[in-house]
Amino acid sequence: MSNRIIEEMNKIDIPRELSDRSKLGVLQAKSEMKMKMFKRRGFLFAASLLVGIGTYAVTNDLNLRDSQPEQTLFASPDGSITIPEIKLPEENSKANMIGLIVYNNKIYTQTDTEIIAKHANSLIGDKLGMTKGTIDEWSSHDEYTVEFASTVGITDVYSVKGYDQDFRIMTYEEKDGKVYAEIFESLNNITIENGEDLFGKLKIINNVNLAQIRYYSDFYNSTANYQNIADLNLIHSFFETLNETKPILQEDLPLTRHDYYNDERFRELIVYLNDGTKVRITLFEGGYVHYGYMPIYFKMEDLEIFNQVWVQLPLTD
């Protein structure tokens, strides 16, 4: 793996689900600077392992999304945006990370797509290896170059049936009669020309069997207060339109991200796919769409189709 991987990380947006997935002891662990382990879907994760972005560490406080290092991305004249290779901070004492796996000279990280446990077995592809569980916030730089080094403990790693291995891999474990499966994605060192370059990889179109939407407050508080969207043709049209949209830089949003963190300007759209995956998409008022922690957004010019999805939840009082 290139030594560039151990240089300072370029601008990577904070995963929305980090708050939900890592609430147990995250802030306390960060302040104490020691490992506090907790079980997450059957794997041991370090509660203090968060993503280091530029000069600050991410906590589960979403407001910190507005504290961004100098913008390093730029849009090409044709409107495309190249997302650079993930680069890890040089100073380990300041470099905390989310779940990640090093495989085939690439870094795969946690994502906003989940596997529904009962469908996990049908998604297992070829076995790629076993994670070494060797990375924590005190790891040396050399440890990030080791194949299957990870922050997720020791577990088997597989390709995912139906998906490009360069984009998505999965971990899988059965323990005490329960299945624990996790998807990891590599969405860096790529060029995005339109929505299809990202959302096409997720294989959503004509593949949705359930769609739900919820407010920011429910998302932030991990409250399962979802509104089902009965019209799946609407969802199909939404993602068809999204595939045609152009990416924009975060700095091109009309408001700061913090300004969107309320029930009036934020919706989380969740789609359940026929293969057993569950995809979470963030919608910002005005036609802006975001997935995972990619440092780019998508602006839907067709506000009619966007607003038809948006109004599935009425404005709060």
Side-chain angles (χ1 to χ4, degrees):
M1 179 177 295
S2 169
N3 288 334
R4 291 178 300 165
I5 290 181
I6 62 175
E7 297 172 359
E8 184 173 353
M9 192 180 221
N10 279 288
K11 185 176 181 182
I12 304 295
D13 197 11
I14 299 170
R16 300 188 305 278
E17 284 300 294
L18 185 57
S19 174
D20 290 351
R21 296 181 181 184
S22 304
K23 275 186 174 178
L24 298 180
V26 167
L27 293 178
Q28 181 180 356
K30 180 177 181 293
S31 64
E32 295 176 357
M33 291 301 293
K34 66 181 180 179
M35 301 280 281
K36 287 187 177 294
M37 306 301 290
F38 66 96
K39 283 194 174 182
R40 178 181 177 274
R41 297 182 185 174
F43 303 124
L44 287 176
F45 280 76
S48 59
L49 296 185
L50 306 171
V51 174
I53 299 180
T55 59
Y56 72 94
V58 177
T59 71
N60 63 349
D61 181 358
L62 290 177
N63 293 339
L64 289 182
R65 293 190 185 190
D66 294 315
S67 303
Q68 291 295 321
E70 182 180 354
Q71 174 66 283
T72 57
L73 301 182
F74 64 93
S76 299
D78 62 2
S80 65
I81 297 176
T82 298
I83 302 175
E85 179 183 10
I86 287 181
K87 302 178 190 301
L88 302 173
E90 291 188 11
E91 296 186 34
N92 290 18
S93 62
K94 297 179 181 179
N96 303 321
M97 294 172 305
I98 60 169
L100 64 83
I101 297 172
V102 178
Y103 170 65
N104 198 25
N105 293 333
K106 295 165 68 75
I107 291 179
Y108 294 76
T109 61
Q110 288 173 277
T111 176
D112 274 348
T113 296
E114 303 172 28
I115 301 176
I116 300 172
K118 67 180 180 180
H119 298 294
N121 190 266
S122 64
L123 287 169
I124 294 175
D126 297 328
K127 184 173 180 178
L128 305 176
M130 178 177 289
T131 58
K132 294 180 170 63
T134 52
I135 297 177
D136 60 31
E137 61 189 285
W138 299 282
S139 296
S140 68
H141 294 162
D142 290 343
E143 290 177 277
Y144 294 106
T145 67
V146 177
E147 189 81 338
F148 291 111
S150 77
T151 63
V152 302
I154 300 174
T155 188
D156 292 328
V157 181
Y158 298 86
S159 62
V160 185
K161 287 183 179 177
Y163 295 90
D164 186 343
Q165 186 173 298
D166 286 336
F167 159 60
R168 176 177 283 179
I169 60 178
M170 66 181 284
T171 56
Y172 182 90
E173 181 182 21
E174 294 185 24
K175 186 175 182 180
D176 299 327
K178 294 183 179 180
V179 170
Y180 302 99
E182 185 84 9
I183 282 180
F184 293 79
E185 293 176 349
S186 180
L187 285 171
N188 60 92
N189 201 22
I190 59 175
T191 297
I192 301 294
E193 296 183 1
N194 54 41
E196 187 171 9
D197 290 332
L198 169 59
F199 298 103
K201 295 177 184 291
L202 305 178
K203 303 194 174 180
I204 294 175
I205 292 180
N206 292 324
N207 197 25
V208 177
N209 61 60
L210 175 65
Q212 298 177 321
I213 193 168
R214 65 176 174 176
Y215 291 113
Y216 168 80
S217 57
D218 293 321
F219 156 77
Y220 183 78
N221 293 305
S222 302
T223 303
N225 186 21
Y226 300 100
Q227 172 70 45
N228 287 348
I229 300 177
D231 187 358
L232 294 185
N233 287 329
L234 171 62
I235 299 302
H236 172 81
S237 297
F238 176 88
F239 282 101
E240 277 194 327
T241 303
L242 185 57
N243 276 353
E244 299 172 358
T245 60
K246 293 293 185 181
I248 64 170
L249 299 173
Q250 179 185 302
E251 63 190 32
D252 293 327
L253 291 173
L255 303 173
T256 68
R257 289 175 301 179
H258 175 76
D259 290 329
Y260 288 104
Y261 296 153
N262 55 67
D263 287 349
E264 289 70 38
R265 293 175 174 158
F266 180 112
R267 300 285 188 272
E268 185 186 38
L269 176 64
I270 304 98
V271 291
Y272 292 76
L273 306 188
N274 293 321
D275 62 6
T277 55
K278 173 184 175 182
V279 182
R280 300 176 180 275
I281 307 290
T282 293
L283 311 181
F284 288 165
E285 181 185 44
Y288 300 95
V289 181
H290 187 252
Y291 172 76
Y293 44 97
M294 296 183 67
I296 61 174
Y297 295 73
F298 295 85
K299 174 65 168 69
M300 291 183 66
E301 300 298 335
D302 187 348
L303 286 181
E304 180 178 356
I305 191 69
F306 179 91
N307 288 334
Q308 286 182 48
V309 174
W310 185 268
V311 299
Q312 298 296 311
L313 282 177
L315 290 177
T316 56
D317 295 330

